[in-house]
Amino acid sequence: MSATSLSQDAIVALARQALDIEARAIHGMAERLQGDSGGAFARAVQAMLACQGRVVVMGMGKSGHVGRKITATLASTGTPAMFVHPAEAHHGDLGMVQPGDVVLAISNSGESEELTGLLPVLKRQGVTLLAMTGKPTSSLARHADIVLDSAVAQEACPLNLAPTASTTVQMALGDALAVVLLDARGFKAEDFARSHPGGALGRKLLTHLTDVMRSGEAVPRVAPEAPFGDVMREMSAKGLGATAVVAADGAVLGVFTDGDLRRKIEAGVELRSATARELMTPSPLTIRQEVLAAEAVALMEARRINTLLVVDAAGVLVGAVSTNDLMRAKVI
């Protein structure tokens, strides 16, 4: 049957069948962890935690692709890990594996020649060998120190041939290892951010307010005795939509914003003769300069304001930040 002859209902039915098979495979894996497989899983985690070297992941074909993803997840969540291609290991890359490492070998059949051919050498090197396989009686399983049973009842492939459900379970089992290791190591969001400095989380957790705030002459400020005209000129020149009102020593006394201007006009206040002290909102909300930019975002969202004055420990004005500044820094 050609693809074009499939009805929408038939297409959706096949997709749902594949997803159901893979979901049942993962559920079955979770159920097995409550029995003997749970003990093996716990020993695998303990071996990885005790590892003085690195977790070396190996796998051929689709299992190799899964292995690379598991390696990346482990490495980004606090477990030193590297992927070594079994075929390349036969031609020199096995030198990357050192005594004290833990080797996680992935093979659904457990009979991949590239992997099984390495077993004698790996055993002589004194590494701890973890096998993730769908065949607990396979050659790989027999030589392993710990066996993680990743067997599935059937593949999602209609021919029951293409690695589908089996690789899904391998991936999920690798994620489970990484998550447990992450928790056991006390790995925090800040640690994750350090290994993902270019991502959104990295920017939120590593960007300090001093990295994005306006400072020096870019911060609008006027004296309390400044007339209305000077207040408006300062606001227009600095383009922040607000100005701080500061004492002679730089301490923040108040703030005057575009919103305040609209409210004064609506209230019929005589502006031309007013001073900054008469117009300002006294004791405005401020934030300390040493905090993360994400804290400024949270505060501004909670108070529904667009501009925030930044002060030092003595309450002296040192900067200002707007939602636009935070958006340009991609903190929002």
Side-chain angles (χ1 to χ4, degrees):
M1 182 183 295
S2 67
T4 55
S5 67
L6 286 174
S7 66
Q8 177 177 317
D9 288 346
I11 291 170
V12 172
L14 286 170
R16 285 176 57 87
Q17 178 180 316
L19 293 171
D20 286 342
I21 290 172
E22 299 204 359
R24 287 197 298 271
I26 292 178
H27 182 72
M29 181 72 251
E31 290 293 319
R32 288 201 301 277
L33 284 182
Q34 293 183 337
D36 293 340
S37 293
F41 184 89
R43 291 194 299 276
V45 169
Q46 290 162 356
M48 290 180 171
L49 283 172
C51 178
Q52 297 301 306
R54 290 168 296 184
V55 175
V56 180
V57 185
M58 295 184 173
M60 284 297 299
K62 303 299 187 295
S63 293
H65 295 309
V66 171
R68 287 185 173 87
K69 191 273 178 186
I70 292 174
T71 303
T73 302
L74 289 171
S76 70
T77 53
T79 297
M82 61 182 290
F83 181 83
V84 174
H85 194 287
E88 297 296 337
H90 282 277
H91 300 280
D93 282 6
L94 193 59
M96 298 180 184
V97 183
Q98 298 296 313
D101 287 345
V102 170
V103 173
L104 173 60
I106 308 172
S107 171
N108 187 44
S109 69
E111 301 295 345
S112 170
E113 292 183 5
E114 294 85 352
L115 269 177
T116 57
L118 296 172
L119 295 178
V121 183
L122 290 173
K123 297 298 287 185
R124 285 198 299 272
Q125 282 186 299
V127 301
T128 300
L129 179 60
L130 312 181
M132 185 185 294
T133 178
K135 302 292 189 297
T137 59
S138 63
S139 300
L140 176 60
R142 290 197 304 273
H143 287 83
D145 298 297
I146 302 169
V147 178
L148 298 175
D149 181 3
S150 60
V152 298
Q154 67 179 116
E155 298 286 5
C157 165
L159 303 176
N160 199 32
L161 294 175
T164 45
S166 58
T167 49
T168 297
V169 167
Q170 290 172 352
M171 189 85 75
L173 198 52
D175 286 343
L177 286 168
V179 167
V180 175
L181 288 165
L182 175 156
D183 185 74
R185 294 183 191 280
F187 196 81
K188 296 180 174 58
E190 291 80 3
D191 302 311
F192 188 85
R194 278 190 284 274
S195 61
H196 298 76
L201 179 62
R203 285 191 293 272
K204 287 183 180 180
L205 294 179
L206 298 180
T207 302
H208 285 79
L209 192 54
T210 50
D211 298 326
V212 298
M213 73 181 191
R214 305 176 189 209
S215 59
E217 292 300 316
V219 182
R221 70 186 76 199
V222 295
E225 297 78 20
F228 174 69
D230 288 353
V231 172
M232 294 307 300
R233 277 189 286 274
E234 182 71 357
M235 290 174 64
S236 298
K238 303 300 171 63
L240 191 63
T243 183
V245 181
V246 298
D249 61 358
V252 174
L253 301 176
V255 68
F256 185 68
T257 69
D258 286 339
D260 292 328
L261 176 61
R262 289 192 298 272
R263 286 185 286 274
K264 297 292 185 184
I265 293 173
E266 291 170 358
V269 174
E270 174 54 50
L271 297 173
R272 286 176 296 180
S273 60
T275 64
R277 187 188 297 277
E278 295 167 336
L279 296 170
M280 72 182 188
T281 298
S283 303
L285 184 68
T286 60
I287 192 169
R288 292 280 292 274
Q289 63 181 337
E290 63 268 19
V291 305
L292 292 171
E295 293 184 44
V297 173
L299 185 57
M300 294 166 78
E301 289 177 345
R303 297 297 185 91
R304 297 183 179 180
I305 57 176
N306 298 319
T307 304
L308 194 56
L309 300 179
V310 186
V311 298
D312 63 14
V316 173
L317 181 70
V318 294
V321 66
S322 70
T323 51
N324 287 335
D325 298 329
L326 294 164
M327 289 177 68
R328 278 193 293 272
K330 298 182 179 180
V331 179
I332 298 179

